[in-house]
């Protein structure tokens, strides 16, 4: 897919976010960080919290208003922790990379941000590739013990970082 744009997320986007959460929970990556509550109340609360206290942008095809994913930031001091989710029928086409780059540029311009972080399971190779394409560097790894349906396993959580000079 070519041609996407970002727009501020709106409350009426919650159904698309709910769909993405449901798709994620059905994916192979859910075991690394499952989304526990995907009912209307919890998804609306997530969206409203992101809109009021952090930043969340809807990803839409250029010339359209229909949300196909989102990119967001949790703001912690001077660091912006990036997150993104793309509808399953749009994954693998470079949208997460393009939208994240657009959002980073937007946040740098509007807020003077210079430090970005991201947490991802090492086993989530597509997400690791997005961060690498964006120029993020691996800064730490830790193994985390997980348990699901009586099975115990470990995942490797990676913390990535990208810093810009402070002369934005």
């Amino acid at each position: 897919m070519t041609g996407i744009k970002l727009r501020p997320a709106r409350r009426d986007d919650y159904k698309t976010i709910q769909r993405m959460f449901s798709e994620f929970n059905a994916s192979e990556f859910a075991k690394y960080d499952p989304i526990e509550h995907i009912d209307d109340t919890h998804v609306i609360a997530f969206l409203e919290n992101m809109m009021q206290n952090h930043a969340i942008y809807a990803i839409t095809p250029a010339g359209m208003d229909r949300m196909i994913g989102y990119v967001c930031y949790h703001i912690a001091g001077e660091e912006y922790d990036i997150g993104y989710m793309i509808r399953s029928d749009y994954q693998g086409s470079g949208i997460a990379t393009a939208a994240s780059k657009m959002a980073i540029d937007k946040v740098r311009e509007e807020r003077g941000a210079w430090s970005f972080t991201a947490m991802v399971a090492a086993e989530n190779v597509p997400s690791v590739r997005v961060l690498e394409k964006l120029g993020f560097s691996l800064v730490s790894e830790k193994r985390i013990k997980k348990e699901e349906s009586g099975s115990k396993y470990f995942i490797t959580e990676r913390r990535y970082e990208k810093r810009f000079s402070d002369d934005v």
Side-chain angles (χ1 to χ4, degrees), residues 91-131:
Q91 291 175 0
S93 58
I95 292 172
T97 303
S100 296
K101 178 168 182 353
M102 291 168 69
I104 287 170
D105 292 346
K106 185 177 189 64
V107 172
R108 289 190 68 218
E109 181 181 317
E110 292 176 359
R111 299 180 183 213
W114 60 274
S115 181
F116 296 86
T117 60
M119 300 290 281
V120 65
E123 296 83 356
N124 187 344
V125 175
S127 195
V128 168
R129 283 194 198 124
V130 167
L131 296 173

Side-chain angles (χ1 to χ4, degrees), residues 1-7 58-69 90 93-99 102:
M1 160 168 268
T2 58
I4 59 167
K5 67 176 184 172
L6 299 181
R7 65 161 169 77
I59 304 166
T60 68
M64 301 179 84
D65 195 52
R66 176 179 40 89
M67 178 187 223
I68 59 171
Y90 287 92
S93 58
I95 292 172
T97 303
M102 291 168 69

